[in-house]
Amino acid sequence: MTVVAATSLNLVNLGAPVVQDPTRRSRDELEALARDAGRELEGAPAEVIAKWATDTFGDRFCVTSSMADAVVAHVFSRVSPGVDVVFLDTGLHFPETLKVRDTVAATMDVNVRSIRPRRTVGQQDGEYGPRLFARSPDECCFLRKVEPLERALSDYDAWATGLRRDESPTRANTPVVAFDAKKGKVKVNPIAAWTQTDVDRYISRWNVPVNELFKKGYGSIGCWPCTRRTKAGEDPRAGRWAMFEKTECGLHV
């Protein structure tokens, strides 16, 4: 992993103009941008990918973060201060996760937006029955994550995630920039090529906030009802929806 100082970035010229207030691009234009950037930015440092994204999309760009750690939010705060960081506040997060969110909001030069589902947990229980997560986790994830993200992204043309290729087999081919045909938006994954060692090194160098649950045996952190500690030798995401044949919440499929 190569960490580049924000003041010495040499941005790749992809033909996308630097804009402060971009007009709404068409679906075809967004797809073409993503295709070219995915090819040209493969192998580029995360900071270069991040700067390209915010220069290209301006206010129509945001970062999404689960607050398992704040690595991606921190990368963007260095190269594009004030960037929007979207956090899906499901109402079922561990206190440790909310602590990371609050620390990011208080210490980083970003604008944290906490997006909540249309229903509280109690309202969802009343309409769908209690413990929907235990009976139909896909439906619960849709109500508390997928729909809120769709709503949150309505004002943006592109967004960034912290997806990495080494996290699970389903993410092994994650591109650094792609067009999400389902959402009709550009998806930027600046640390897609990073390993866990790269992440740990970045966290140590910049003192980035990390969810304390990692020290307690959790390999991947989501909502508390659907997350357990992982055992030695297990895939980091084995503790997510462990009683179901499910490895993704639906945000990235």
Side-chain angles (χ1 to χ4, degrees):
M1 178 187 71
T2 302
V3 176
V4 181
T7 56
S8 62
L9 293 175
N10 293 314
L11 298 180
V12 179
N13 182 5
L14 299 178
V18 174
V19 288
Q20 298 302 318
D21 184 23
T23 57
R24 194 69 177 261
R25 292 183 173 95
S26 71
R27 183 184 178 94
D28 287 345
E29 288 173 324
L30 292 173
E31 188 169 4
L33 270 175
R35 181 179 59 250
D36 292 344
R39 179 179 63 252
E40 297 296 337
L41 287 172
E42 178 62 37
E47 291 85 352
V48 170
I49 299 170
K51 192 66 165 59
W52 170 83
T54 53
D55 280 352
T56 300
F57 298 103
D59 290 341
R60 299 195 64 81
F61 178 83
C62 71
V63 179
T64 57
S65 176
S66 67
M67 299 299 172
D69 62 53
V71 168
V72 174
H74 187 271
V75 169
F76 277 89
S77 75
R78 291 172 50 225
V79 300
S80 301
V83 67
D84 286 352
V85 174
V86 170
F87 171 70
L88 302 179
D89 188 352
T90 66
L92 294 169
H93 282 300
F94 291 96
E96 291 87 347
T97 302
L98 300 179
K99 180 180 178 181
V100 175
R101 177 200 60 184
D102 295 343
T103 300
V104 169
T107 63
M108 292 188 191
D109 193 353
V110 298
N111 176 39
V112 175
R113 298 182 59 208
S114 288
I115 307 299
R116 295 181 175 85
R118 295 190 184 277
R119 302 169 182 82
T120 66
V121 174
Q123 289 170 336
Q124 180 175 296
D125 288 349
E127 185 170 346
Y128 293 88
R131 297 177 60 82
L132 182 63
F133 51 77
R135 294 179 287 107
S136 181
D138 285 343
E139 189 172 13
C140 188
C141 284
F142 177 82
L143 293 170
R144 310 208 71 77
K145 289 185 176 181
V146 177
E147 189 281 330
L149 180 64
E150 295 284 352
R151 188 161 22 96
L153 292 180
S154 63
D155 292 332
Y156 304 106
D157 286 336
W159 85 106
T161 82
L163 293 180
R164 300 200 328 269
R165 295 165 185 166
D166 72 340
E167 290 180 306
S168 69
T170 61
R171 299 180 176 185
N173 297 315
T174 299
V176 293
V177 181
F179 182 72
D180 187 323
K182 185 176 180 180
K183 293 183 175 63
K185 300 178 188 295
V186 177
K187 187 175 184 178
V188 181
N189 307 299
I191 64 169
W194 285 20
T195 65
Q196 186 61 52
T197 299
D198 294 328
V199 172
D200 293 343
R201 186 180 298 123
Y202 188 93
I203 289 169
S204 177
R205 174 175 180 177
W206 296 100
N207 193 29
V208 175
V210 178
N211 199 305
E212 295 172 0
L213 292 175
F214 285 122
K215 298 178 181 179
K216 300 178 181 180
Y218 290 84
S220 178
I221 301 163
C223 295
W224 67 261
C226 300
T227 306
R228 66 160 173 81
R229 292 176 174 84
T230 48
K231 301 173 185 177
E234 281 189 317
D235 183 279
R237 292 183 65 83
R240 305 287 294 277
W241 307 285
M243 300 301 292
F244 299 90
E245 292 184 1
K246 176 179 170 68
T247 58
E248 297 284 352
C249 62
L251 297 179
H252 304 296
V253 294

PDB file of all heavy atoms in Angstrom, residues 133 137 223-231 234-235 237-248:
ATOM      1  N   PHE A 133     -35.623  -9.876  12.175  1.00  0.00           N
ATOM      2  CA  PHE A 133     -34.256 -10.261  11.802  1.00  0.00           C
ATOM      3  C   PHE A 133     -34.015 -11.749  11.974  1.00  0.00           C
ATOM      4  O   PHE A 133     -33.192 -12.331  11.279  1.00  0.00           O
ATOM      5  CB  PHE A 133     -33.229  -9.463  12.614  1.00  0.00           C
ATOM      6  CG  PHE A 133     -33.459  -9.471  14.099  1.00  0.00           C
ATOM      7  CD1 PHE A 133     -33.124 -10.561  14.885  1.00  0.00           C
ATOM      8  CD2 PHE A 133     -34.022  -8.363  14.725  1.00  0.00           C
ATOM      9  CE1 PHE A 133     -33.335 -10.566  16.259  1.00  0.00           C
ATOM     10  CE2 PHE A 133     -34.240  -8.344  16.091  1.00  0.00           C
ATOM     11  CZ  PHE A 133     -33.907  -9.460  16.865  1.00  0.00           C
ATOM     12  N   PRO A 137     -34.255 -12.284   7.676  1.00  0.00           N
ATOM     13  CA  PRO A 137     -33.187 -11.275   7.732  1.00  0.00           C
ATOM     14  C   PRO A 137     -33.076 -10.433   6.471  1.00  0.00           C
ATOM     15  O   PRO A 137     -32.723  -9.256   6.540  1.00  0.00           O
ATOM     16  CB  PRO A 137     -31.920 -12.102   7.969  1.00  0.00           C
ATOM     17  CG  PRO A 137     -32.268 -13.479   7.499  1.00  0.00           C
ATOM     18  CD  PRO A 137     -33.727 -13.652   7.792  1.00  0.00           C
ATOM     19  N   CYS A 223     -25.359  -5.277  12.698  1.00  0.00           N
ATOM     20  CA  CYS A 223     -26.339  -5.102  13.762  1.00  0.00           C
ATOM     21  C   CYS A 223     -26.164  -6.197  14.816  1.00  0.00           C
ATOM     22  O   CYS A 223     -25.823  -7.334  14.488  1.00  0.00           O
ATOM     23  CB  CYS A 223     -27.750  -5.159  13.183  1.00  0.00           C
ATOM     24  SG  CYS A 223     -28.137  -3.818  12.042  1.00  0.00           S
ATOM     25  N   TRP A 224     -26.425  -5.853  16.069  1.00  0.00           N
ATOM     26  CA  TRP A 224     -26.124  -6.798  17.145  1.00  0.00           C
ATOM     27  C   TRP A 224     -26.918  -8.106  17.070  1.00  0.00           C
ATOM     28  O   TRP A 224     -26.374  -9.174  17.410  1.00  0.00           O
ATOM     29  CB  TRP A 224     -26.294  -6.138  18.516  1.00  0.00           C
ATOM     30  CG  TRP A 224     -27.706  -5.764  18.897  1.00  0.00           C
ATOM     31  CD1 TRP A 224     -28.278  -4.534  18.800  1.00  0.00           C
ATOM     32  CD2 TRP A 224     -28.712  -6.619  19.444  1.00  0.00           C
ATOM     33  NE1 TRP A 224     -29.578  -4.565  19.240  1.00  0.00           N
ATOM     34  CE2 TRP A 224     -29.866  -5.831  19.631  1.00  0.00           C
ATOM     35  CE3 TRP A 224     -28.745  -7.970  19.782  1.00  0.00           C
ATOM     36  CZ2 TRP A 224     -31.057  -6.356  20.148  1.00  0.00           C
ATOM     37  CZ3 TRP A 224     -29.932  -8.500  20.296  1.00  0.00           C
ATOM     38  CH2 TRP A 224     -31.073  -7.696  20.475  1.00  0.00           C
ATOM     39  N   PRO A 225     -28.178  -8.136  16.606  1.00  0.00           N
ATOM     40  CA  PRO A 225     -28.881  -9.422  16.606  1.00  0.00           C
ATOM     41  C   PRO A 225     -28.311 -10.426  15.608  1.00  0.00           C
ATOM     42  O   PRO A 225     -28.502 -11.639  15.770  1.00  0.00           O
ATOM     43  CB  PRO A 225     -30.325  -9.053  16.227  1.00  0.00           C
ATOM     44  CG  PRO A 225     -30.445  -7.598  16.474  1.00  0.00           C
ATOM     45  CD  PRO A 225     -29.084  -7.049  16.176  1.00  0.00           C
ATOM     46  N   CYS A 226     -27.635  -9.936  14.586  1.00  0.00           N
ATOM     47  CA  CYS A 226     -27.176 -10.800  13.498  1.00  0.00           C
ATOM     48  C   CYS A 226     -25.659 -10.903  13.422  1.00  0.00           C
ATOM     49  O   CYS A 226     -25.107 -11.247  12.374  1.00  0.00           O
ATOM     50  CB  CYS A 226     -27.738 -10.294  12.176  1.00  0.00           C
ATOM     51  SG  CYS A 226     -29.539 -10.255  12.114  1.00  0.00           S
ATOM     52  N   THR A 227     -24.977 -10.593  14.516  1.00  0.00           N
ATOM     53  CA  THR A 227     -23.517 -10.610  14.522  1.00  0.00           C
ATOM     54  C   THR A 227     -23.009 -11.378  15.733  1.00  0.00           C
ATOM     55  O   THR A 227     -23.444 -11.125  16.856  1.00  0.00           O
ATOM     56  CB  THR A 227     -22.939  -9.178  14.569  1.00  0.00           C
ATOM     57  OG1 THR A 227     -23.492  -8.411  13.506  1.00  0.00           O
ATOM     58  CG2 THR A 227     -21.428  -9.197  14.426  1.00  0.00           C
ATOM     59  N   ARG A 228     -22.120 -12.322  15.508  1.00  0.00           N
ATOM     60  CA  ARG A 228     -21.503 -13.055  16.621  1.00  0.00           C
ATOM     61  C   ARG A 228     -19.990 -13.003  16.475  1.00  0.00           C
ATOM     62  O   ARG A 228     -19.446 -12.610  15.436  1.00  0.00           O
ATOM     63  CB  ARG A 228     -21.964 -14.514  16.629  1.00  0.00           C
ATOM     64  CG  ARG A 228     -21.501 -15.346  15.434  1.00  0.00           C
ATOM     65  CD  ARG A 228     -21.560 -16.829  15.738  1.00  0.00           C
ATOM     66  NE  ARG A 228     -21.288 -17.660  14.570  1.00  0.00           N
ATOM     67  CZ  ARG A 228     -20.072 -17.955  14.106  1.00  0.00           C
ATOM     68  NH1 ARG A 228     -18.984 -17.414  14.676  1.00  0.00           N
ATOM     69  NH2 ARG A 228     -19.921 -18.746  13.057  1.00  0.00           N
ATOM     70  N   ARG A 229     -19.306 -13.407  17.533  1.00  0.00           N
ATOM     71  CA  ARG A 229     -17.849 -13.504  17.482  1.00  0.00           C
ATOM     72  C   ARG A 229     -17.457 -14.610  16.506  1.00  0.00           C
ATOM     73  O   ARG A 229     -18.177 -15.601  16.347  1.00  0.00           O
ATOM     74  CB  ARG A 229     -17.281 -13.807  18.869  1.00  0.00           C
ATOM     75  CG  ARG A 229     -17.434 -12.665  19.869  1.00  0.00           C
ATOM     76  CD  ARG A 229     -16.937 -13.098  21.241  1.00  0.00           C
ATOM     77  NE  ARG A 229     -16.928 -11.999  22.190  1.00  0.00           N
ATOM     78  CZ  ARG A 229     -17.973 -11.600  22.888  1.00  0.00           C
ATOM     79  NH1 ARG A 229     -19.156 -12.219  22.722  1.00  0.00           N
ATOM     80  NH2 ARG A 229     -17.888 -10.586  23.731  1.00  0.00           N
ATOM     81  N   THR A 230     -16.316 -14.430  15.858  1.00  0.00           N
ATOM     82  CA  THR A 230     -15.823 -15.464  14.955  1.00  0.00           C
ATOM     83  C   THR A 230     -14.827 -16.359  15.685  1.00  0.00           C
ATOM     84  O   THR A 230     -14.168 -15.934  16.637  1.00  0.00           O
ATOM     85  CB  THR A 230     -15.138 -14.835  13.730  1.00  0.00           C
ATOM     86  OG1 THR A 230     -14.213 -13.829  14.167  1.00  0.00           O
ATOM     87  CG2 THR A 230     -16.163 -14.201  12.814  1.00  0.00           C
ATOM     88  N   LYS A 231     -14.751 -17.594  15.216  1.00  0.00           N
ATOM     89  CA  LYS A 231     -13.841 -18.566  15.799  1.00  0.00           C
ATOM     90  C   LYS A 231     -12.512 -18.555  15.054  1.00  0.00           C
ATOM     91  O   LYS A 231     -12.431 -18.088  13.920  1.00  0.00           O
ATOM     92  CB  LYS A 231     -14.474 -19.961  15.742  1.00  0.00           C
ATOM     93  CG  LYS A 231     -15.805 -20.053  16.468  1.00  0.00           C
ATOM     94  CD  LYS A 231     -16.454 -21.403  16.241  1.00  0.00           C
ATOM     95  CE  LYS A 231     -17.838 -21.459  16.875  1.00  0.00           C
ATOM     96  NZ  LYS A 231     -18.521 -22.754  16.598  1.00  0.00           N
ATOM     97  N   GLU A 234     -11.921 -18.988  11.097  1.00  0.00           N
ATOM     98  CA  GLU A 234     -13.118 -18.680  10.323  1.00  0.00           C
ATOM     99  C   GLU A 234     -12.909 -17.455   9.439  1.00  0.00           C
ATOM    100  O   GLU A 234     -12.097 -16.583   9.753  1.00  0.00           O
ATOM    101  CB  GLU A 234     -14.313 -18.400  11.242  1.00  0.00           C
ATOM    102  CG  GLU A 234     -14.975 -19.625  11.806  1.00  0.00           C
ATOM    103  CD  GLU A 234     -16.270 -19.285  12.525  1.00  0.00           C
ATOM    104  OE1 GLU A 234     -16.292 -18.297  13.272  1.00  0.00           O
ATOM    105  OE2 GLU A 234     -17.262 -20.027  12.339  1.00  0.00           O
ATOM    106  N   ASP A 235     -13.678 -17.406   8.355  1.00  0.00           N
ATOM    107  CA  ASP A 235     -13.728 -16.204   7.527  1.00  0.00           C
ATOM    108  C   ASP A 235     -14.199 -15.043   8.399  1.00  0.00           C
ATOM    109  O   ASP A 235     -15.067 -15.228   9.258  1.00  0.00           O
ATOM    110  CB  ASP A 235     -14.719 -16.433   6.380  1.00  0.00           C
ATOM    111  CG  ASP A 235     -14.778 -15.254   5.419  1.00  0.00           C
ATOM    112  OD1 ASP A 235     -15.472 -14.271   5.756  1.00  0.00           O
ATOM    113  OD2 ASP A 235     -14.152 -15.317   4.362  1.00  0.00           O
ATOM    114  N   ARG A 237     -16.216 -12.775   7.973  1.00  0.00           N
ATOM    115  CA  ARG A 237     -17.647 -12.505   7.888  1.00  0.00           C
ATOM    116  C   ARG A 237     -18.504 -13.705   8.302  1.00  0.00           C
ATOM    117  O   ARG A 237     -19.737 -13.673   8.162  1.00  0.00           O
ATOM    118  CB  ARG A 237     -18.023 -12.043   6.475  1.00  0.00           C
ATOM    119  CG  ARG A 237     -17.462 -10.672   6.138  1.00  0.00           C
ATOM    120  CD  ARG A 237     -17.903 -10.212   4.752  1.00  0.00           C
ATOM    121  NE  ARG A 237     -19.337 -10.003   4.643  1.00  0.00           N
ATOM    122  CZ  ARG A 237     -19.962  -8.902   5.021  1.00  0.00           C
ATOM    123  NH1 ARG A 237     -19.283  -7.891   5.569  1.00  0.00           N
ATOM    124  NH2 ARG A 237     -21.271  -8.784   4.863  1.00  0.00           N
ATOM    125  N   ALA A 238     -17.871 -14.733   8.838  1.00  0.00           N
ATOM    126  CA  ALA A 238     -18.623 -15.909   9.267  1.00  0.00           C
ATOM    127  C   ALA A 238     -19.562 -15.611  10.425  1.00  0.00           C
ATOM    128  O   ALA A 238     -20.530 -16.334  10.656  1.00  0.00           O
ATOM    129  CB  ALA A 238     -17.660 -17.038   9.658  1.00  0.00           C
ATOM    130  N   GLY A 239     -19.284 -14.554  11.157  1.00  0.00           N
ATOM    131  CA  GLY A 239     -20.131 -14.188  12.279  1.00  0.00           C
ATOM    132  C   GLY A 239     -21.349 -13.365  11.906  1.00  0.00           C
ATOM    133  O   GLY A 239     -22.115 -12.957  12.791  1.00  0.00           O
ATOM    134  N   ARG A 240     -21.552 -13.116  10.628  1.00  0.00           N
ATOM    135  CA  ARG A 240     -22.709 -12.345  10.174  1.00  0.00           C
ATOM    136  C   ARG A 240     -23.789 -13.307   9.699  1.00  0.00           C
ATOM    137  O   ARG A 240     -23.551 -14.154   8.848  1.00  0.00           O
ATOM    138  CB  ARG A 240     -22.303 -11.401   9.037  1.00  0.00           C
ATOM    139  CG  ARG A 240     -21.146 -10.466   9.390  1.00  0.00           C
ATOM    140  CD  ARG A 240     -21.549  -9.363  10.338  1.00  0.00           C
ATOM    141  NE  ARG A 240     -22.506  -8.450   9.720  1.00  0.00           N
ATOM    142  CZ  ARG A 240     -22.148  -7.436   8.931  1.00  0.00           C
ATOM    143  NH1 ARG A 240     -20.860  -7.199   8.679  1.00  0.00           N
ATOM    144  NH2 ARG A 240     -23.068  -6.641   8.414  1.00  0.00           N
ATOM    145  N   TRP A 241     -24.997 -13.186  10.237  1.00  0.00           N
ATOM    146  CA  TRP A 241     -26.138 -14.041   9.881  1.00  0.00           C
ATOM    147  C   TRP A 241     -25.734 -15.521   9.931  1.00  0.00           C
ATOM    148  O   TRP A 241     -26.011 -16.294   9.002  1.00  0.00           O
ATOM    149  CB  TRP A 241     -26.653 -13.687   8.476  1.00  0.00           C
ATOM    150  CG  TRP A 241     -26.960 -12.241   8.320  1.00  0.00           C
ATOM    151  CD1 TRP A 241     -28.031 -11.557   8.801  1.00  0.00           C
ATOM    152  CD2 TRP A 241     -26.158 -11.270   7.626  1.00  0.00           C
ATOM    153  NE1 TRP A 241     -27.963 -10.235   8.462  1.00  0.00           N
ATOM    154  CE2 TRP A 241     -26.813 -10.023   7.741  1.00  0.00           C
ATOM    155  CE3 TRP A 241     -24.950 -11.337   6.914  1.00  0.00           C
ATOM    156  CZ2 TRP A 241     -26.307  -8.854   7.161  1.00  0.00           C
ATOM    157  CZ3 TRP A 241     -24.445 -10.183   6.357  1.00  0.00           C
ATOM    158  CH2 TRP A 241     -25.116  -8.960   6.488  1.00  0.00           C
ATOM    159  N   ALA A 242     -25.116 -15.916  11.010  1.00  0.00           N
ATOM    160  CA  ALA A 242     -24.509 -17.249  11.109  1.00  0.00           C
ATOM    161  C   ALA A 242     -25.519 -18.383  10.982  1.00  0.00           C
ATOM    162  O   ALA A 242     -25.158 -19.502  10.617  1.00  0.00           O
ATOM    163  CB  ALA A 242     -23.756 -17.369  12.428  1.00  0.00           C
ATOM    164  N   MET A 243     -26.785 -18.132  11.282  1.00  0.00           N
ATOM    165  CA  MET A 243     -27.800 -19.183  11.210  1.00  0.00           C
ATOM    166  C   MET A 243     -28.493 -19.233   9.843  1.00  0.00           C
ATOM    167  O   MET A 243     -29.425 -20.014   9.651  1.00  0.00           O
ATOM    168  CB  MET A 243     -28.866 -18.959  12.303  1.00  0.00           C
ATOM    169  CG  MET A 243     -28.306 -18.979  13.714  1.00  0.00           C
ATOM    170  SD  MET A 243     -27.487 -20.546  14.117  1.00  0.00           S
ATOM    171  CE  MET A 243     -28.895 -21.644  14.125  1.00  0.00           C
ATOM    172  N   PHE A 244     -28.028 -18.429   8.910  1.00  0.00           N
ATOM    173  CA  PHE A 244     -28.662 -18.364   7.601  1.00  0.00           C
ATOM    174  C   PHE A 244     -27.615 -18.492   6.498  1.00  0.00           C
ATOM    175  O   PHE A 244     -26.434 -18.268   6.722  1.00  0.00           O
ATOM    176  CB  PHE A 244     -29.414 -17.033   7.424  1.00  0.00           C
ATOM    177  CG  PHE A 244     -30.519 -16.817   8.418  1.00  0.00           C
ATOM    178  CD1 PHE A 244     -30.257 -16.178   9.625  1.00  0.00           C
ATOM    179  CD2 PHE A 244     -31.802 -17.250   8.146  1.00  0.00           C
ATOM    180  CE1 PHE A 244     -31.282 -15.969  10.552  1.00  0.00           C
ATOM    181  CE2 PHE A 244     -32.821 -17.048   9.061  1.00  0.00           C
ATOM    182  CZ  PHE A 244     -32.563 -16.408  10.268  1.00  0.00           C
ATOM    183  N   GLU A 245     -28.077 -18.867   5.296  1.00  0.00           N
ATOM    184  CA  GLU A 245     -27.195 -18.885   4.133  1.00  0.00           C
ATOM    185  C   GLU A 245     -27.181 -17.477   3.550  1.00  0.00           C
ATOM    186  O   GLU A 245     -27.721 -17.200   2.482  1.00  0.00           O
ATOM    187  CB  GLU A 245     -27.683 -19.903   3.108  1.00  0.00           C
ATOM    188  CG  GLU A 245     -27.554 -21.350   3.576  1.00  0.00           C
ATOM    189  CD  GLU A 245     -27.959 -22.335   2.504  1.00  0.00           C
ATOM    190  OE1 GLU A 245     -28.324 -21.886   1.398  1.00  0.00           O
ATOM    191  OE2 GLU A 245     -27.920 -23.542   2.763  1.00  0.00           O
ATOM    192  N   LYS A 246     -26.546 -16.589   4.267  1.00  0.00           N
ATOM    193  CA  LYS A 246     -26.557 -15.165   3.921  1.00  0.00           C
ATOM    194  C   LYS A 246     -25.216 -14.579   4.318  1.00  0.00           C
ATOM    195  O   LYS A 246     -24.747 -14.798   5.432  1.00  0.00           O
ATOM    196  CB  LYS A 246     -27.702 -14.473   4.670  1.00  0.00           C
ATOM    197  CG  LYS A 246     -27.814 -12.960   4.502  1.00  0.00           C
ATOM    198  CD  LYS A 246     -29.015 -12.455   5.295  1.00  0.00           C
ATOM    199  CE  LYS A 246     -29.063 -10.936   5.381  1.00  0.00           C
ATOM    200  NZ  LYS A 246     -29.342 -10.306   4.071  1.00  0.00           N
ATOM    201  N   THR A 247     -24.597 -13.848   3.403  1.00  0.00           N
ATOM    202  CA  THR A 247     -23.303 -13.237   3.711  1.00  0.00           C
ATOM    203  C   THR A 247     -23.300 -11.729   3.443  1.00  0.00           C
ATOM    204  O   THR A 247     -22.346 -11.049   3.814  1.00  0.00           O
ATOM    205  CB  THR A 247     -22.187 -13.865   2.861  1.00  0.00           C
ATOM    206  OG1 THR A 247     -22.492 -13.717   1.460  1.00  0.00           O
ATOM    207  CG2 THR A 247     -22.019 -15.348   3.192  1.00  0.00           C
ATOM    208  N   GLU A 248     -24.354 -11.219   2.791  1.00  0.00           N
ATOM    209  CA  GLU A 248     -24.420  -9.795   2.477  1.00  0.00           C
ATOM    210  C   GLU A 248     -25.780  -9.248   2.916  1.00  0.00           C
ATOM    211  O   GLU A 248     -26.797  -9.947   2.845  1.00  0.00           O
ATOM    212  CB  GLU A 248     -24.226  -9.540   0.972  1.00  0.00           C
ATOM    213  CG  GLU A 248     -22.862  -9.966   0.442  1.00  0.00           C
ATOM    214  CD  GLU A 248     -21.740  -9.006   0.810  1.00  0.00           C
ATOM    215  OE1 GLU A 248     -22.028  -7.923   1.361  1.00  0.00           O
ATOM    216  OE2 GLU A 248     -20.583  -9.335   0.540  1.00  0.00           O
TER     217      GLU A 248
END
